[in-house]
Amino acid sequence: DVKVTQSSRYLVKRTGEKVFLECVQDMDHENMFWYRQDPGLGLRLIYFSYDVKMKEKGDIPEGYSVSREKKERFSLILESASTNQTSMYLCASRLAGGGQETQYFGPGTRLLVL
Amino acid sequence: SQKIEQNSEALNIQEGKTATLTCNYTNYSPAYLQWYRQDPGRGPVFLLLIRENEKEKRKERLKVTFDTTLKQSLFHITASQPADSATYLCALDKTGFQKLVFGTGTRLLVSP
């Protein structure tokens, strides 16, 4: 079974703090994704990586950066957390096979920025 | 612009009935359409994939249809159970970009 793990289920941070969210997958997937999910807005793609050290902006990259130094690990960084970044963050991974490939999600990190 | 629409209102049905959820899309020509289930506080889980040349796909109590003329997919759960209560998301591949684009999901509530 594919497993996608995220470093924390719940996080509470202060405005202005630097926040690291870690994601690890164990199935050698090329593609990894970071989404945030807010009520009524659905899943919104923040960043996407299709290979080590490669990244691509999603729909809402402002205020975020990412790092992919190893194939299995994809990190999301909030450079200076703000209250409007309070959200559920979901990591996902997928084989590079196009639309027929299933996407596997982690359990999510619920981040509260005070 | 490309758009995926799912009914934002929750669907309430009685146990044993068939639930039907709708996914409409515009400005896409997807080769595949996927359905996911999401429970509160958890990540989505893949349920079914249907290809453009498949009219219908079944898995146990689940059935998905795909009408590329109407640009619509229907997701059916027959003999629904309270355990089927969840949010159901449809997703399309953004062609050439290796990214799935998700609808906002429809919440299903099955009452005993």
Side-chain angles (χ1 to χ4, degrees), chain A residues 9 31 33 35 37 45 48 56 88 94 96 99-103 105-107, chain B residues 32 34 36 38 41-44 46 49 51 89 93 97-100 102 104:
Chain A
R9 289 303 309 273
N31 296 336
F33 308 84
Y35 296 88
Q37 188 173 35
L45 183 64
F48 155 55
E56 190 174 305
M88 172 72 132
R94 190 176 178 213
Q100 64 189 326
E101 298 300 335
T102 305
Q103 192 148 302
F105 285 85
Chain B
Y32 309 93
Q34 302 188 16
Y36 289 74
Q38 187 175 22
R42 300 197 172 272
F46 171 77
L49 176 146
R51 294 172 171 78
L89 305 161
D93 197 61
F97 288 89
Q98 298 278 343
K99 293 181 285 191
L100 281 175
F102 287 83
T104 52

Side-chain angles (χ1 to χ4, degrees), chain A residues 64-76:
Chain A
Y64 303 94
S65 62
V66 291
S67 171
R68 192 156 178 213
E69 296 297 317
K70 293 186 177 182
K71 191 175 186 180
E72 68 270 19
R73 189 178 296 268
F74 191 35
S75 302
L76 179 70

Side-chain angles (χ1 to χ4, degrees), chain B:
Chain B
S1 63
Q2 295 173 320
K3 205 172 177 182
I4 303 173
E5 288 183 338
Q6 294 185 258
N7 194 341
S8 58
E9 290 182 18
L11 178 64
N12 288 276
I13 63 166
Q14 282 232 289
E15 184 174 8
K17 302 289 186 185
T18 295
T20 299
L21 286 68
T22 305
C23 175
N24 294 298
Y25 59 92
T26 53
N27 297 323
Y28 271 101
S29 296
Y32 309 93
L33 189 147
Q34 302 188 16
W35 282 89
Y36 289 74
R37 169 185 172 139
Q38 187 175 22
D39 292 291
R42 300 197 172 272
V45 174
F46 171 77
L47 293 174
L48 277 171
L49 176 146
I50 187 164
R51 294 172 171 78
E52 62 176 342
N53 60 354
E54 295 176 317
K55 296 294 181 193
E56 184 179 294
K57 194 85 171 275
R58 291 177 185 259
K59 180 182 174 183
E60 297 171 355
R61 295 184 296 110
L62 308 180
K63 184 178 89 171
V64 172
T65 62
F66 193 11
D67 189 325
T68 55
T69 303
L70 289 178
K71 293 187 182 294
Q72 182 181 78
S73 175
L74 298 178
F75 178 82
H76 307 272
I77 305 175
T78 57
S80 59
Q81 303 166 1
D84 295 325
S85 298
T87 296
Y88 292 86
L89 305 161
C90 67
L92 300 174
D93 197 61
K94 198 166 182 180
T95 306
F97 288 89
Q98 298 278 343
K99 293 181 285 191
L100 281 175
V101 180
F102 287 83
T104 52
T106 298
R107 190 167 170 222
L108 173 66
L109 298 167
V110 182
S111 309

Side-chain angles (χ1 to χ4, degrees), chain A residues 45-103:
Chain A
L45 183 64
I46 304 171
Y47 265 99
F48 155 55
S49 169
Y50 50 91
D51 202 351
V52 175
K53 297 191 187 295
M54 307 302 287
K55 62 185 179 185
E56 190 174 305
K57 291 180 181 178
D59 301 315
I60 51 164
E62 296 78 19
Y64 303 94
S65 62
V66 291
S67 171
R68 192 156 178 213
E69 296 297 317
K70 293 186 177 182
K71 191 175 186 180
E72 68 270 19
R73 189 178 296 268
F74 191 35
S75 302
L76 179 70
I77 303 146
L78 287 65
E79 296 290 343
S80 177
S82 63
T83 54
N84 63 11
Q85 292 179 309
T86 291
S87 187
M88 172 72 132
Y89 290 87
L90 288 159
C91 175
S93 73
R94 190 176 178 213
L95 278 171
Q100 64 189 326
E101 298 300 335
T102 305
Q103 192 148 302

